[in-house]
Amino acid sequence: PAAAAATRSGKTAAAAELRQMEREVAAALESVFPRIGLKSFLALKVEDRKDQLDELASIVSGIRLFNRHMGKGGSDLSLFDEEAGRLAADALPMIEAEVEEFSDLCMLYQESIVAAAIGRCDVDAETVARWKEELAHRRQYLSFLQALHEDVNVSSQKVDVLRDRYAAELANLDTMVSGRASVPKEHVYPKFDALARLNKQLKGEHDVLQARLATFNVLSDSRDPFESSLAESGGGGAAASAAAALNVTLNLTLT
């Protein structure tokens, strides 16, 4: 059957990708940690071995990231400079627009309530009480939005800085290895290590942004739990009339 054939094909492709990744990792690891050094490595204390393994893993990851940049492997790797940048570009404007919309809406409620209080429109007490309840909800929602926006904005700025540093490390490595048969390990390995650590930091910010975006989506479910009494037929209604009356009063006072 076609479905079974597609499943077998998918498994074959995945297995081939895994083998390719293992070959790339083995080649990178051999260049960083030759087998001749295994005896001295095993003689180290457990904590020292752990630290060295962490450093080796970081350097190997950096080599593979650079190979991906050069189009010579690393196709299975996630490039978090691109993914985090794309997520920040999507999340920040979306939340900013929501903050702006609800800031304007809260202002309309406030102006309407004040206008009613000073007798600038014919609105009954029950309607004003309803406006106050709705304003409390809108303000709480806006408060959550503003806190979320601040978090996303900070994370977005971190992503911009990290992406610039990541690009600079790639450019330095390009310059360092371009046209050379070999480069001293003490020069190039710290660059690979730095590249991997930057990618890891970018993943951290990517995960933060993803979590904040998920929070925003959950929060958005509570944006309209009731039918707003401001949204009367014709798009105007008592609230718009009250706000307009208040603006007229304020303009006359200022004049």
Side-chain angles (χ1 to χ4, degrees):
T7 301
R8 286 195 299 272
S9 177
K11 289 181 178 179
T12 301
E17 185 176 340
L18 179 61
R19 286 194 298 273
Q20 177 62 27
M21 180 193 71
E22 289 172 345
R23 284 194 293 269
E24 290 178 18
V25 170
L29 185 59
E30 179 66 26
S31 68
V32 177
F33 183 55
R35 297 180 187 181
I36 195 172
L38 183 59
K39 186 176 181 180
S40 58
F41 171 78
L42 292 175
L44 295 173
K45 295 179 180 179
V46 173
E47 286 301 316
D48 292 336
R49 273 184 276 172
K50 181 180 181 299
D51 291 341
Q52 191 165 344
L53 284 173
D54 287 343
E55 185 179 358
L56 287 171
S58 183
I59 293 171
V60 169
S61 294
I63 291 172
R64 299 194 66 228
L65 286 166
F66 183 66
N67 286 343
R68 167 96 182 241
H69 169 68
M70 300 294 289
K72 297 179 179 179
S75 60
D76 60 294
L77 294 174
S78 295
L79 301 181
F80 287 100
D81 66 319
E82 296 176 1
E83 294 185 20
R86 185 164 49 249
L87 201 56
D90 290 343
L92 196 57
M94 191 185 310
I95 298 174
E96 283 177 345
E98 191 81 344
V99 167
E100 183 177 354
E101 178 182 344
F102 274 79
S103 295
D104 291 344
L105 187 56
C106 286
M107 183 60 68
L108 177 58
Y109 274 106
Q110 290 171 215
E111 291 177 346
S112 303
I113 292 167
V114 172
I118 64 176
R120 297 301 301 175
C121 64
D122 184 18
V123 183
D124 59 44
E126 185 179 349
T127 299
V128 174
R130 172 68 179 176
W131 287 350
K132 289 179 180 179
E133 290 177 2
E134 292 179 13
L135 176 58
H137 173 274
R138 301 306 193 190
R139 279 177 171 167
Q140 186 176 37
Y141 181 73
L142 178 60
S143 176
F144 289 144
L145 280 177
Q146 289 169 331
L148 197 59
H149 176 263
E150 184 177 353
D151 285 350
V152 171
N153 190 45
V154 169
S155 191
S156 180
Q157 290 174 5
K158 288 181 181 178
V159 167
D160 287 342
V161 171
L162 290 170
R163 292 186 74 195
D164 287 343
R165 289 173 58 192
Y166 188 87
E169 288 294 348
L170 282 176
N172 287 337
L173 278 166
D174 267 332
T175 302
M176 190 176 291
V177 305
S178 180
R180 299 184 184 181
S182 63
V183 181
K185 293 181 178 180
E186 61 271 18
H187 293 165
V188 74
Y189 283 179
K191 296 293 184 183
F192 289 135
D193 182 36
L195 194 67
R197 293 184 188 280
L198 285 168
N199 191 59
K200 186 176 181 179
Q201 287 178 274
L202 281 162
K203 181 186 184 304
E205 293 305 325
H206 169 274
D207 292 349
V208 168
L209 286 167
Q210 203 166 48
R212 297 296 180 268
L213 195 55
T215 301
F216 174 68
N217 290 333
V218 172
L219 185 61
S220 296
D221 292 338
S222 301
R223 79 189 301 270
D224 293 310
F226 53 83
E227 185 175 350
S228 172
S229 59
L230 293 180
E232 297 182 8
S233 60
S241 299
L246 177 61
N247 286 330
V248 169
T249 301
L250 292 176
N251 289 333
L252 288 173
T253 303
L254 292 172
T255 302

